[in-house]
Amino acid sequence: GWTCSILPLVMTVQMDLVLLLVSVLAFWTRLSQLSYPNAVVFDEVYYGQFVSLYMKRVFFIDDSGPPLGHMILALGAYLGGFDGNFVWNRIGAEYPSSVNVWSLRLLPALCGALCVPLVYLLTLELKFSHLSALGAALLLLLENSLIVQSRFMLLESVLIFFVLLAVFSYLRFHNAPSCSWFRYGWLLLSGASCAAAIGVKYMGVFSHLLLLGVASLHTWTMIGDRTLNVCLQCVCRVVCLLVVPVLLYVFWFYIHLSILNRSGPHDQLMSSAFQASLQGGLSRITQGQPLEVAYGSQVTLRSSASQPIPCWLHSHKANYPIRYENGRGSSHQQQVTCYPFKDVNNWWIIKDPSRQELVVSSPPRPIRHGDVIQLVHGMTSRFLNSHDVAAPMSPHAQEISGYIDFNVSMPAQNLWRVEVSNRDSESEVWKTILSEVRLVHVNTSAVLKLSGVSLPDWGFRQLEVVAEKLFKAHSSSLGWTVEEHRYGTSEEQKEREAELHSPTHIDVDRKISFWAKFLELQWKMLTVKQEDSEHKYSSAPLEWITMETNIAYWLHPTTNAQIHLIGNPVSWGVANLCLMAYQLLAAVYLLRRRRGFKDLPDGVWSQFVCLGCVCVGGWLVNFVPFLLMEKTLFLYHYLPAQCYLYLLSPALLEHFSDSQDQSCDATHRRALCMCLSAGLLSVFLSYRNFCPLTYGSPELSANQLQALKWRDTWDILYRRH
C-alpha cells in the first residue's frame, strides 16, 4: 500500500499486484488482434443474423434462448456503427471494410477477460489463500478453449461471466459482517447477475437454482440466532434472489420488444393481434380483419407448403389447353394455380352450398371443422372444381379448375369439406391466420395441395395446384391458411369486383398489452422448435470430459492457418483428476465422521463442504442436464462446467497440502511445491503448444499440424504444399 498526505487530506490505497497482473494478462490474451481473422467464424454466422435484425429493428424469434445475449452482441455492433447490411450466409465470408469487426467481438472478449480476475476473487471468498487464487486464475487464463470462445461474437464467455459474478457477489455478501447494510448491495448484484445469466442462455437457470440452494442452507443455519432479525433476513434474500431476477428477466423482454417493432420473417408464428402491433408487412394489411371465417367471407388462401416464398390460391380468365405437349387431353376449364404475388385474382368467396347468396348474413355463420363449402373465384365467379382428369404436370393427381359447363357430360364437382388440422376440438371454428385447414374434395376424397411444379408458358409459369389422395400426399403440402379476410357485402358482380379491388385495411385500434406479447413470445420460444440436424462437429456430453472432440472454427481459404476450439489437455486432465479426488476424499471424510472420527476441525470442514457445494455442484448443474437433452450439442456447451473445475483444482490441492502439513517434513513440502510448479509449467507449455490453433497464427506446416493431433478423434485439417 502507499499513503499520500496533503494536509488535511489523507488517502490510503491498497492494491493486489497479483490480481492486477493476471487481469492485464487476461485482457492481453483475449483482446490482442481481435479483428483477426477478418472473416465470419463458426456460430458468428448464426448470431450475426440476429444482430442485423436488431440494427434494422425487425422482429424475430430465437428458440435457443432469451434476448439479453443477442442484445449485448447488438450493443457492440451498434457502438461500432454497424448498420445491419451484411449477409451472414456462410462461415468464412470476408467482412467488408465498412464492418467494424473489433467492436462486434469486443463485449464477449471483455467478459471473457473479466472471468480471470473474477475467479481469483471467488477463490479468496471461498477462504482459500492468494496462492490458490493465483492457481485458479492461471488455469482459466491459459485455457485455450476459453480464449477461442471469448474472442468471437459468441455467448459462452458472457454466460460464464454473469454466472461467476453471481456466485462471487453472493459469497461476498455471505462473508461480510452481518451488521453491515452495505453487504445487501452484493446480494442485489448477485440476483441481477443470475437474471443476466438466464437472460443470455437458459442454462443459467441451473446455476441460479444452485445459488438458491446454497442461500437456503445458509438461511436455515441462521434460524435460532437471537442476534438477527430472521424474518427480515429471509425477506431480503427472497426479494434479491427471486423477485429481482424475475422482474429483470421480464425487463429484458420489454427492451427486446420495444426495439423490435417492425414486421419480420417470423411474424407468421405469432397471433394476428401480435402481428398487428408490428409496423409494416402483413400487419399493414390484416389489421382489423374479422377473426372467424363465415359463409360469405372473402378470403385469400396461402399454401403452408410455400416456404420461404409465399404463394396464394389463384385463378384467371385463361383455360387449360385442350391438349398438352405430350398429347394428353384436359378439361379445358379455367386454370387454377398458386401465385407468389399479391393480386386481386387471389380472392375467393366462401359459399354455403344450400344457399345462393355470396354475402355474410347477420349475425355471421362461422364455418367449423367438418363443414362442406363451395369456393367461388371472386373476379370470374367460377367454382373451385376437381374431377377424375389428370393434372397437367402431375398426371398421378387430379386436375383443379374453375368449373365451366361445356355441356359435354362433365358435371360440376365443387363441394369441399373443411378440416382444421390444428384444431383443439371437433367443433373448432375456422380462424383467420391461426387455423391451418385441409380442403377435401367431397366426391373423390382427394385433398387440395400445392404440387410446387411450375406450369409452362400457357400457365404463365405459375405453380401447379392439384388434388391428391391423402395416403399419397405429404401432410406438409396440404395446409392452407386464410391470410386476408373480410366479410363480403356486395351481392352484384360489378359491386363485388369493386369491393375486391379496394384495400382490406381497416383502421381499427388493436393494441396488445406488453404482458400479452411477453406471454405469447415466451410460449412460442418454448414450443416452436427448429428442426435439429446432425452437425459435423456435434458431440455427446461424455466426449467432453475426455476431450475426444474439437471444432474447426475457421480455416484460411488458401493457407494452413486455422482456429479450433480445443481445450488445454493438461489443465483439462488436472481438473478431471481433482474432481475425482474431491469426491473420493469427501466419501472418506463422511464415512469417518459417521464413525465418530473428525479428521478436520469444524471451520476447515465447513470450508471443504462449501467448496464442494459451489465447485462440484456448479460442475454438476452445468453438465448433467446435457445428458438428458436431445438437441444438437457442441464442446462449447461444457465450458461453464469446466470453469468450476478450475476453481476446484488449486483449492483442493491447498486443502490436501494443509492437511498433510502436520505430518510432513520440509522435504515432503519441497517435493509438493516442485510437483505443483512442474504442473503449472506443463499447463503453460501445453497452452503455448496449441496457441497457433487458438489465435490462427502463425501458420503451421502440415507436419506441425499433424504433430498437434494428440488424439485420433480430433479433426485437424491441413494442406500439403
Side-chain angles (χ1 to χ4, degrees):
W2 54 274
T3 303
C4 168
S5 177
I6 306 171
L7 291 176
L9 182 67
V10 176
M11 183 171 67
T12 303
V13 177
Q14 283 190 321
M15 193 177 292
D16 187 334
L17 291 175
V18 174
L19 175 61
L20 186 65
L21 178 64
V22 294
S23 301
V24 169
L25 288 172
F27 280 99
W28 179 67
T29 54
R30 270 72 175 170
L31 270 74
S32 61
Q33 294 183 312
L34 199 57
S35 300
Y36 179 83
N38 188 44
V40 178
V41 173
F42 199 61
D43 270 354
E44 284 187 338
V45 77
Y46 176 74
Y47 293 115
Q49 295 169 29
F50 299 129
V51 168
S52 285
L53 291 171
Y54 266 116
M55 295 300 106
K56 295 177 178 180
R57 305 190 68 173
V58 169
F59 174 76
F60 66 86
I61 296 177
D62 177 21
D63 65 2
S64 69
L68 180 63
H70 300 319
M71 288 194 288
I72 289 170
L73 298 181
L75 174 63
Y78 174 77
L79 294 173
F82 180 54
D83 58 6
N85 291 320
F86 176 72
V87 181
W88 311 82
N89 56 358
R90 64 180 179 87
I91 297 168
E94 288 284 322
Y95 286 113
S97 57
S98 58
V99 175
N100 187 337
V101 182
W102 189 81
S103 79
L104 290 179
R105 296 170 178 170
L106 175 63
L107 294 182
L110 283 174
C111 288
L114 289 169
C115 288
V116 176
L118 254 181
V119 160
Y120 182 93
L121 294 168
L122 187 45
T123 307
L124 296 180
E125 290 304 322
L126 286 167
K127 299 185 178 172
F128 287 90
S129 68
H130 285 268
L131 198 59
S132 287
L134 174 62
L138 287 175
L139 285 174
L140 221 71
L141 177 74
L142 301 174
E143 174 48 56
N144 300 71
S145 59
L146 287 174
I147 295 172
V148 170
Q149 199 69 15
S150 300
R151 288 174 54 81
F152 301 111
M153 193 174 60
L154 308 170
L155 288 180
E156 255 61 34
S157 61
V158 184
L159 171 66
I160 292 166
F161 168 72
F162 283 125
V163 166
L164 292 176
L165 182 60
V167 178
F168 164 70
S169 305
Y170 175 76
L171 290 175
R172 194 69 182 261
F173 155 79
H174 177 68
N175 293 335
S178 56
C179 58
S180 167
W181 280 97
F182 179 71
R183 73 191 191 119
Y184 286 100
W186 289 110
L187 187 63
L188 193 62
L189 179 59
S190 180
S193 301
C194 285
I198 297 166
V200 171
K201 286 202 168 188
Y202 279 130
M203 277 305 295
V205 168
F206 297 109
S207 292
H208 186 208
L209 291 174
L210 174 72
L211 200 62
L212 287 175
V214 172
S216 301
L217 286 173
H218 287 158
T219 309
W220 178 256
T221 58
M222 288 190 316
I223 296 173
D225 188 339
R226 299 188 178 213
T227 63
L228 295 171
N229 184 334
V230 176
C231 281
L232 182 64
Q233 297 281 338
C234 290
V235 168
C236 287
R237 283 163 172 77
V238 168
V239 168
C240 291
L241 295 180
L242 276 177
V243 178
V244 167
V246 169
L247 292 176
L248 281 175
Y249 178 77
V250 174
F251 180 62
W252 311 143
F253 278 90
Y254 179 79
I255 299 172
H256 175 71
L257 291 169
S258 299
I259 295 171
L260 305 183
N261 59 2
R262 293 178 182 164
S263 172
H266 296 165
D267 290 13
Q268 290 297 311
L269 296 172
M270 311 308 290
S271 69
S272 52
F274 193 108
Q275 292 180 63
S277 70
L278 301 170
Q279 294 176 13
L282 184 63
S283 64
R284 181 175 51 79
I285 302 162
T286 61
Q287 191 170 2
Q289 290 187 160
L291 179 63
E292 295 185 345
V293 180
Y295 290 110
S297 283
Q298 298 172 354
V299 300
T300 63
L301 289 162
R302 174 175 167 164
S303 168
S304 304
S306 57
Q307 302 291 351
I309 299 166
C311 83
W312 293 267
L313 190 66
H314 175 96
S315 190
H316 41 240
K317 288 181 179 176
N319 295 356
Y320 290 112
I322 295 172
R323 292 204 176 273
Y324 299 124
E325 291 83 346
N326 59 7
R328 276 193 305 115
S330 81
S331 66
H332 193 45
Q333 290 180 358
Q334 186 167 297
Q335 294 175 17
V336 174
T337 64
C338 205
Y339 189 51
F341 300 99
K342 297 279 185 184
D343 189 273
V344 72
N345 280 315
N346 297 348
W347 284 96
W348 297 82
I349 301 161
I350 296 172
K351 180 180 174 297
D352 184 344
S354 63
R355 302 194 184 191
Q356 287 304 310
E357 58 266 18
L358 294 174
V359 294
V360 174
S361 60
S362 182
R365 292 183 300 130
I367 297 165
R368 300 181 183 277
H369 169 73
D371 286 356
V372 173
I373 62 165
Q374 291 172 311
L375 282 165
V376 182
H377 188 241
M379 296 303 290
T380 63
S381 298
R382 301 292 184 194
F383 284 82
L384 188 73
N385 191 74
S386 187
H387 40 215
D388 192 17
V389 175
M393 310 305 291
S394 309
H396 60 279
Q398 292 172 195
E399 176 191 88
I400 295 288
S401 64
Y403 182 71
I404 303 173
D405 186 2
F406 289 120
N407 197 19
V408 288
S409 303
M410 290 187 75
Q413 297 183 28
N414 54 28
L415 298 179
W416 298 87
R417 188 171 64 255
V418 175
E419 293 186 353
V420 182
S421 308
N422 56 346
R423 64 187 180 277
D424 293 324
S425 68
E426 289 306 308
S427 59
E428 179 89 16
V429 172
W430 186 1
K431 296 189 185 76
T432 308
I433 293 174
L434 302 177
S435 297
E436 186 174 291
V437 301
R438 290 176 181 174
L439 295 168
V440 182
H441 190 236
V442 171
N443 292 66
T444 61
S445 298
V447 186
L448 184 74
K449 65 166 277 189
L450 170 69
S451 78
V453 182
S454 290
L455 295 170
D457 289 339
W458 56 255
F460 311 102
R461 299 284 169 188
Q462 293 173 18
L463 300 175
E464 181 191 44
V465 175
V466 301
E468 194 165 82
K469 291 289 194 289
L470 192 58
F471 64 85
K472 291 182 183 175
H474 295 293
S475 59
S476 62
S477 61
L478 303 174
W480 298 86
T481 305
V482 169
E483 190 170 274
E484 295 179 64
H485 175 212
R486 62 176 153 219
Y487 285 162
T489 57
S490 307
E491 192 67 69
E492 294 297 321
Q493 176 67 18
K494 291 285 183 194
E495 292 172 12
R496 192 160 58 240
E497 286 182 19
E499 189 178 9
L500 293 171
H501 274 288
S502 66
T504 53
H505 176 57
I506 309 164
D507 284 314
V508 179
D509 185 17
R510 293 183 65 185
K511 284 188 177 173
I512 179 172
S513 71
F514 161 71
W515 288 106
K517 291 173 76 173
F518 168 72
L519 292 172
E520 183 180 343
L521 184 55
Q522 276 293 282
W523 178 247
K524 292 291 182 188
M525 285 173 63
L526 295 171
T527 55
V528 177
K529 291 293 177 190
Q530 295 167 3
E531 289 183 13
D532 277 329
S533 55
E534 271 301 309
H535 192 283
K536 181 182 179 183
Y537 291 109
S538 62
S539 50
L542 292 176
E543 293 175 331
W544 305 337
I545 299 176
T546 52
M547 229 176 80
E548 288 177 40
T549 180
N550 73 305
I551 305 175
Y553 268 20
W554 171 79
L555 305 169
H556 193 281
T558 56
T559 72
N560 271 333
Q562 52 193 283
I563 294 174
H564 288 257
L565 188 76
I566 293 183
N568 184 323
V570 176
S571 49
W572 213 274
V574 168
N576 288 339
L577 286 172
C578 288
L579 176 65
M580 289 189 287
Y582 181 91
Q583 292 168 319
L584 190 64
L585 205 55
V588 170
Y589 283 154
L590 285 168
L591 284 170
R592 286 180 61 78
R593 286 176 82 85
R594 184 70 182 154
R595 297 185 64 190
F597 299 106
K598 287 196 174 182
D599 298 295
L600 303 174
D602 288 342
V604 178
W605 171 246
S606 297
Q607 183 193 35
F608 182 77
V609 170
C610 184
L611 179 69
C613 287
V614 171
C615 298
V616 180
W619 178 81
L620 285 170
V621 299
N622 282 282
F623 174 69
V624 173
F626 288 115
L627 296 171
L628 311 174
M629 291 183 189
E630 294 183 0
K631 59 181 275 187
T632 308
L633 299 173
F634 297 93
L635 176 62
Y636 57 73
H637 286 123
Y638 185 60
L639 297 182
Q642 186 68 13
C643 287
Y644 281 105
L645 295 190
Y646 289 158
L647 260 174
L648 173 71
S649 303
L652 183 64
L653 288 170
E654 182 187 327
H655 170 83
F656 182 74
S657 171
D658 288 350
S659 63
Q660 296 297 310
D661 269 358
Q662 313 301 325
S663 55
C664 284
D665 57 19
T667 310
H668 278 104
R669 281 199 292 274
R670 273 199 299 275
L672 189 63
C673 285
M674 287 179 68
C675 287
L676 291 174
S677 302
L680 272 176
L681 182 63
S682 302
V683 168
F684 175 73
L685 291 174
S686 176
Y687 156 77
R688 284 280 301 173
N689 196 37
F690 286 97
C691 266
L693 298 184
T694 302
Y695 293 97
S697 65
E699 182 201 350
L700 300 181
S701 67
N703 290 336
Q704 287 172 316
L705 284 169
Q706 206 164 16
L708 281 181
K709 193 172 179 179
W710 287 13
R711 301 208 61 154
D712 293 335
T713 49
W714 288 357
D715 189 12
I716 295 177
L717 311 165
Y718 46 85
R719 297 178 176 85
R720 295 191 181 276
H721 293 302

